[in-house]
Amino acid sequence: FAAEGPVFCSGHDLKELSSEDDVKHHSQVFELCAEVMTLIQKLPVPVIAKVNGLATAAGCQLVASCDIAVASEKSQFATPGVNIGLFCSTPAVALGRSLPRKVALEMLFTGQSLSAHEALMHGLVSKVVPEDRLEEETMKISQKICESSKSVLALGKATFYRQITQDLDTAYKITTKVMVDNLTLRDGQEGIEAFVQKRKPVWSH
């Protein structure tokens, strides 16, 4: 995900949330947003946010929902809904799963922003680079990912999100079975054979 201009994403259009619209309309707006955020994690390919500018409210939620986020040094992240009387409860779902609880709650309670380097320090973004290197760095990560097997990546991503909400024992049971399943994939065997034969793997995708 990328954007043009000084704002990565400022979240919902508040004009859509006025009292002129009914509760059904408001529900549809937030349900659609939640569906988009959950679909990102259900996609069988890694999703990268390339952030160059301000990411606020649902825009900050979008960054937190992506698998990887690369930000320019000028980027900022905030959930300022509390300042206008609309607490960022849905962004809090993604923020609470990406950031330490106290950092997420400070953002949610105060509406104050994190700088790009603060976001990196707390785990909201994966990497911070100068603006003129943002495209290059994002593509470098993308290209490295594309060197791997699509089926193996899809299995790994789905398993990561499935196990992350489980207790330790359950997480290991899930992932132990998936490791065995991974070995049954054509690309799982190809990768091992290529390693043993000291050659580059040829993925089935």
Side-chain angles (χ1 to χ4, degrees):
F1 283 111
E4 293 180 1
V7 175
F8 172 75
C9 179
S10 57
H12 292 288
D13 180 354
L14 295 178
K15 291 174 190 168
E16 284 190 348
L17 304 176
S18 70
S19 57
E20 293 172 16
D21 295 307
D22 59 15
V23 171
K24 184 180 176 187
H25 172 77
H26 294 159
S27 295
Q28 287 172 338
V29 169
F30 291 114
E31 284 165 11
L32 180 60
C33 181
E35 185 181 348
V36 169
M37 300 302 169
T38 54
L39 278 173
I40 290 169
Q41 293 185 357
K42 290 176 183 173
L43 285 171
V45 293
V47 179
I48 303 173
K50 184 178 82 172
V51 187
N52 189 27
L54 195 60
T56 60
C60 190
Q61 179 184 5
L62 180 60
V63 175
S65 298
C66 288
D67 303 311
I68 296 170
V70 184
S72 71
E73 290 173 328
K74 76 174 191 180
S75 298
Q76 290 190 305
F77 306 85
T79 49
V82 69
N83 298 330
I84 58 160
L86 184 65
F87 197 87
C88 286
S89 293
T90 47
V93 175
L95 247 65
R97 285 161 169 74
S98 295
L99 292 166
R101 182 177 301 182
K102 288 177 174 58
V103 176
L105 286 171
E106 183 179 347
M107 287 181 73
L108 292 160
F109 290 155
T110 67
Q112 291 183 321
S113 63
L114 290 183
S115 69
H117 287 289
E118 288 170 325
L120 176 65
M121 179 174 67
H122 296 303
L124 181 59
V125 300
S126 324
K127 192 170 280 193
V128 175
V129 296
E131 186 178 7
D132 62 358
R133 283 189 43 227
L134 182 60
E135 176 69 18
E136 176 194 345
E137 198 59 43
T138 306
M139 289 310 299
K140 196 160 115 183
I141 294 168
S142 300
Q143 286 158 1
K144 183 61 182 165
I145 289 169
C146 289
E147 291 174 10
S148 296
S149 159
K150 190 174 179 183
S151 59
V152 170
L153 285 169
L155 181 65
K157 176 174 172 175
T159 305
F160 178 85
Y161 286 114
R162 190 172 152 218
Q163 64 83 25
I164 200 72
T165 57
Q166 305 296 322
D167 64 80
L168 195 63
D169 288 340
T170 305
Y172 272 118
K173 280 178 188 167
I174 290 168
T175 54
T176 298
K177 182 183 181 306
V178 171
M179 292 294 286
V180 174
D181 293 343
N182 195 155
L183 287 171
T184 68
L185 292 178
R186 181 174 162 190
D187 281 352
Q189 287 302 309
E190 166 61 16
I192 291 170
E193 285 172 20
F195 179 81
V196 171
Q197 294 167 10
K198 295 182 170 56
R199 63 174 174 82
K200 196 172 178 181
V202 180
W203 305 125
S204 61
H205 70 253

